[in-house]
Amino acid sequence: ESATVWREAKAKSDFALFQPVLEKIVAANRRFAALQLALTVMDESSTYMRSTIAPKLTEYASECFRTATVGKYDRLLLDTRMGMTVETPAQQSLDSLSSGTKDSAYLCLRLALLRLLYAQSAQPPMVLDDVFARLDEKRLLALLSVLARTAAENGTQVFLFTCGARERLLLDKLGEPYTRLDWPSARK
């Protein structure tokens, strides 16, 4: 009988030694299960994005980009990491295009995102600071018309900051309404 009591006491003390380790294993298994669930949900979300949202985003951004480039580029394509290429007879990396064309592509992507995110509600105001500096007049005129149309369709306020008169003159040429605010010169 004393041998049985001795074995039980030893088993209890061994369990006491291993109990903290077992608790850590149980906690690690719970974290692992939570991470597996998170990965599954992220994968499902990514699949949903690629199948539903990405095509709409590509469509909206392409529509804007086609207008902004005066028809030179028909489609702006987005990969899963939001990298962009343009469709010419072949696909061409955005990095190989001019700075002004890249600026136009990124602005078109932002406009497309706003259109998707705020499809059922009023869009927030857009603040643009010298975003047209690297565009030629023809493409600037095209992009200003896109912005004017976007603002009119969605009731979006566009705050356009620039140091030149080019944008104002082209808005006048388009016949688009705007409010001009001139900052007082910094004089001593």
Side-chain angles (χ1 to χ4, degrees):
E1 223 177 80
S2 65
T4 304
V5 170
W6 174 253
R7 275 194 308 265
E8 286 176 8
K10 187 172 185 321
K12 286 180 183 175
S13 70
D14 285 347
F15 179 75
L17 289 173
F18 290 110
Q19 185 173 1
V21 173
L22 290 174
E23 288 172 358
K24 287 181 181 179
I25 291 170
V26 168
N29 282 336
R30 285 187 185 134
R31 280 193 305 271
F32 180 71
L35 289 171
Q36 280 184 312
L37 177 61
L39 284 172
T40 300
V41 169
M42 286 172 50
D43 188 48
E44 289 171 0
S45 297
S46 177
T47 300
Y48 174 77
M49 282 277 297
R50 282 192 303 270
S51 66
T52 58
I53 294 173
K56 288 179 187 172
L57 189 59
T58 296
E59 176 189 339
Y60 296 161
S62 293
E63 179 184 305
C64 177
F65 194 59
R66 187 177 313 109
T67 302
T69 60
V70 195
K72 182 172 183 177
Y73 300 105
D74 192 48
R75 247 168 102 69
L76 184 62
L77 304 169
L78 305 168
D79 65 24
T80 56
R81 294 181 178 180
M82 294 305 236
M84 290 188 278
T85 57
V86 293
E87 197 172 72
T88 57
Q91 287 188 15
Q92 189 175 351
S93 169
L94 199 63
D95 293 332
S96 66
L97 304 177
S98 72
S99 297
T101 303
K102 285 188 257 189
D103 291 347
S104 296
Y106 288 117
L107 181 57
C108 288
L109 177 61
R110 286 181 280 184
L111 291 171
L113 283 167
L114 284 172
R115 185 172 171 185
L116 276 176
L117 292 173
Y118 295 95
Q120 304 300 321
S121 61
Q123 287 188 2
M126 284 189 287
V127 179
L128 305 172
D129 185 13
D130 257 345
V131 294
F132 306 122
R134 299 189 285 191
L135 293 178
D136 60 45
E137 188 172 313
K138 184 168 100 175
R139 287 183 179 81
L140 173 56
L141 188 64
L143 207 43
L144 284 172
S145 71
V146 168
L147 278 174
R149 185 178 66 239
T150 299
E153 288 172 357
N154 305 315
T156 304
Q157 286 182 304
V158 178
F159 294 90
L160 177 58
F161 294 90
T162 182
C163 61
R166 204 166 67 124
E167 289 83 355
R168 177 180 50 80
L169 295 171
L170 291 175
L171 283 170
D172 289 340
K173 184 176 181 178
L174 286 170
E176 295 295 341
Y178 63 89
T179 301
R180 178 180 170 183
L181 300 173
D182 289 315
W183 301 113
S185 297
R187 296 181 192 196
K188 290 186 179 187

